[in-house]
Amino acid sequence: MSVSREVDPRFDAEVPVAIIGAGAAGLVAAVACRGAGVEPLVIERDAVPRGSTSLSAGLIPAAGTRFQAAYGIADDAEAFAADIQRKAHGQADAGLVRLVAAAAGPTLEWLAGAHGLDFSVVHDFDYPGHSRRRMHGLPSRSGAELVDRLRAAAEAAEIPLLTEARATTLVLDQHGALRGLVVRRPDGSAERIGAGAVVLACCGYAGNKALVRRYIPDLADAVYFGHAGNEGEAVGWAEALGLELRDMTGHQGHGSVAHPQGILVSWAVIMEGGFQVNAQGARFWNEASGYSEAGVAVLRQPGGIAWDIFDERIAGVARQFADYREAEAQGAVLTADSVEDLARLTKLPLADTVAQVDALKAAGATDGFGRVWAGVAQLAPPYRAVRVTGALFHSQGGLAVDDHARVRLAAGGIVPNLFAAGGAACGVSGPEASGYLSGNGLLSAVTLGRIAGEAAAALMNG
């Protein structure tokens, strides 16, 4: 990624707002900008918008929604913010936490009301770190459906989308003001596009091996379970322009990706009473801590492999997720009518570990890893097992932004017409994998996307 400083920049076309990236952040920014009376141009490197969103479960945490009220769930932005900060060990930017926690509920209500996205809350199990049931998704519980519905909303608003166009260069004038960008096509041709404002919604850096090795060395050789577009363009532009980067070591990992199938297995299989064992059939950590830190925990086991152990009741909960149904369809989920048969199928010594977990549940005890088993249902036949590995999903560090999603300068101040959202912006997980609260990625994508789109439009409207 580069920056071009020119005395008198000239462009092939001019637009009021250019949005780089057509994942959840970029598409939400686009419909928000259009709703505020300004037509943006969305620039997407792929032929069809997908982004990291398409690889997720498409779940967005939000507090105080009518979708929660339908299930009698009492929640508010203050409780949500407290949960985010607690999971981040108090290390997330407090102002940003308050901003996104307050914005999430109204953003989902707006997407549902103005653009027809039929959200509902996941009401039948708890996600680690959330004190309320506040994860919202579309009927399939898939990120692919979310990005498709957002793209349809952008199309309905007649927002121009330039696909197979990769933004490579930001163009500044002789005074250092941002004036536009250069995009390149697969055939090598280039187009210069002037813009009054630019929104960076171009993902993070988790697909850039050099940057991962620099900031997240523990996962440098992990399976990368993210979109190829996470190449760190925003990081490159930040370094060239003196923009502030924050919490660059923060990331979302995952310790439940079916191996070798490469399919995400919902952490519901753990939170509903399942557990993980290594190749020796032994538990090795507090699985209830969270799926992000599970990535490193699993990769530290022999061969970087673990097994999720659960039962048919839990599988029934997990089947609401398209990924889990696909894992079953591909034969990743093993089934047995007894612990002995499960041990034979997995080639693991499971009897002692299953007995230990049964005893912990019966006693309502806390184990040596710190997992609390009080009130957790016993497993019962038929049993289930999935062979899994750890993976890196996406980075959480990125460009620091203010309350209007304007990008901050490292030396102080902001760039008045440069905005960031989603993976390009610093999230609310702090600097550690264990700070990632379920849904933090899409939380910052949709909230900062809407804020950035509306703020860019306001700038253009004067």
Side-chain angles (χ1 to χ4, degrees):
M1 296 304 101
S2 64
V3 172
S4 176
R5 292 176 170 82
E6 304 171 10
V7 173
D8 185 20
R10 302 295 175 92
F11 298 98
D12 302 316
E14 299 268 356
V15 298
V17 177
I19 299 171
I20 303 174
L27 291 170
V28 170
V31 294
C33 186
R34 189 70 185 91
V38 174
E39 181 182 88
L41 171 67
V42 182
I43 299 163
E44 169 58 41
R45 56 175 280 165
D46 293 340
V48 177
R50 307 300 289 172
S52 296
T53 305
S54 67
L55 299 173
S56 74
L59 297 177
I60 306 164
T65 69
R66 59 185 165 92
F67 312 108
Q68 288 176 303
Y71 286 96
I73 300 168
D75 197 10
D76 57 48
E78 290 74 21
F80 186 15
D83 287 348
I84 294 171
Q85 197 62 273
R86 186 181 306 109
K87 192 69 168 65
H89 320 294
Q91 298 181 84
D93 179 88
L96 186 60
V97 169
R98 288 192 297 270
L99 178 70
V100 301
T107 297
L108 292 195
E109 299 279 6
W110 163 69
L111 287 171
H115 300 287
L117 275 70
D118 47 343
F119 290 109
S120 62
V121 70
V122 178
H123 63 88
D124 51 358
F125 69 91
D126 299 314
Y127 278 83
H130 286 284
S131 61
R132 310 285 194 279
R133 292 179 173 176
R134 60 170 69 100
M135 299 295 279
H136 296 71
L138 297 176
S140 71
R141 302 293 195 245
S142 76
E145 182 183 15
L146 177 60
V147 76
D148 286 346
R149 295 290 299 276
L150 289 172
R151 185 182 73 246
E155 290 171 351
E158 300 183 340
I159 295 169
L161 173 63
L162 189 64
T163 58
E164 295 187 283
R166 182 173 183 177
T168 60
T169 305
L170 295 182
V171 178
L172 281 62
D173 65 20
Q174 71 270 33
H175 305 295
L178 177 62
R179 294 282 304 279
L181 56 136
V182 178
V183 300
R184 294 199 175 274
R185 297 290 199 163
D187 63 5
S189 63
E191 296 175 51
R192 293 170 59 85
I193 301 172
V198 174
V199 178
L200 302 180
C202 46
C203 296
Y205 69 82
N208 183 316
K209 282 289 187 184
L211 290 176
V212 172
R213 199 166 295 279
R214 183 196 305 179
Y215 292 115
I216 319 172
D218 283 347
L219 294 179
D221 298 316
V223 171
Y224 172 52
F225 202 81
H227 187 264
N230 282 265
E231 295 188 354
E233 289 97 333
V235 178
W237 285 321
E239 292 173 345
L241 293 173
L243 309 178
E244 182 182 352
L245 292 169
R246 185 178 295 170
D247 293 343
M248 291 298 288
T249 53
H251 63 279
Q252 184 207 342
H254 210 294
S256 188
V257 173
H259 184 74
Q261 294 85 0
I263 303 170
L264 175 65
V265 176
S266 168
W267 204 243
V269 304
I270 301 299
M271 296 305 295
E272 278 295 294
F275 55 91
Q276 290 190 312
V277 299
N278 59 21
Q280 283 77 48
R283 291 182 57 235
F284 52 91
W285 79 300
N286 176 3
E287 305 96 330
S289 301
Y291 57 72
S292 182
E293 50 267 58
V296 171
V298 168
L299 288 170
R300 286 175 176 166
Q301 299 309 299
I305 293 296
W307 289 80
D308 294 346
I309 308 296
F310 51 106
D311 65 7
E312 170 56 26
R313 176 188 64 82
I314 297 173
V317 174
R319 286 192 189 105
Q320 68 184 284
F321 300 103
D323 285 334
Y324 183 81
R325 298 194 298 272
E326 180 64 20
E328 286 190 321
Q330 292 201 21
V333 183
L334 305 182
T335 301
D337 289 328
S338 68
V339 173
E340 293 75 19
D341 285 345
L342 194 68
R344 178 179 53 80
L345 287 173
T346 60
K347 299 180 173 61
L348 299 172
L350 291 174
D352 287 348
T353 300
V354 172
Q356 289 164 9
V357 172
D358 285 348
L360 287 163
K361 290 178 177 179
T366 300
D367 63 30
F369 299 110
R371 183 168 180 178
V372 178
W373 293 99
V376 180
Q378 295 279 5
L379 299 186
Y383 297 98
R384 301 285 186 269
V386 182
R387 187 175 188 256
V388 299
T389 190
L392 173 62
F393 272 42
H394 54 77
S395 52
Q396 278 286 287
L399 296 166
V401 298
D402 70 2
D403 285 356
H404 300 286
R406 297 177 297 189
V407 174
R408 296 183 184 275
L409 290 162
I414 52 97
V415 182
N417 64 338
L418 181 63
F419 304 82
C426 179
V428 289
S429 301
E432 302 170 8
S434 60
Y436 185 86
L437 183 67
S438 300
N440 270 2
L442 281 173
L443 170 66
S444 62
V446 299
T447 56
L448 291 179
R450 185 187 187 189
I451 290 167
E454 291 179 346
L459 183 65
M460 293 301 97
N461 286 327

